[in-house]
Amino acid sequence: MSTEYFFAAEGCYIRELSNSADDPAVSIAQARVEPGNTTSWHQLKNTIERYVILSGTGLAEIGDAAPRTVNA
């Protein structure tokens, strides 16, 4: 588990909480998006992403669905 955030290509800060070759089906990370920033679209293969919003409010766009407001 890493305690340090790194700046990801999507435009947010990521801290990996669980990412091991011993369990490749699971990757858990904490992401931090600075106020006013927008992250870029990305797509993962064979992985389902789930999000837990700890604080703040944002706009999420997933697939072809209309953007929706998300919050803690």
Side-chain angles (χ1 to χ4, degrees):
M1 179 168 93
S2 173
T3 59
E4 299 294 321
Y5 283 92
F6 65 90
F7 192 75
E10 290 88 2
C12 61
Y13 293 91
I14 299 288
R15 179 171 68 141
E16 292 185 337
L17 302 176
S18 177
N19 190 348
S20 169
D22 295 333
D23 192 3
V26 175
S27 176
I28 302 170
Q30 185 173 7
R32 187 179 79 234
V33 180
E34 296 296 325
N37 283 3
T38 300
T39 60
S40 63
W41 279 82
H42 69 280
Q43 182 177 1
L44 303 175
K45 294 181 181 179
N46 302 320
T47 301
I48 296 171
E49 287 189 285
R50 292 185 171 93
Y51 296 89
V52 176
I53 313 273
L54 300 176
S55 66
T57 300
L59 189 64
E61 296 180 63
I62 301 171
D64 294 330
R68 66 185 268 195
T69 300
V70 294
N71 56 31

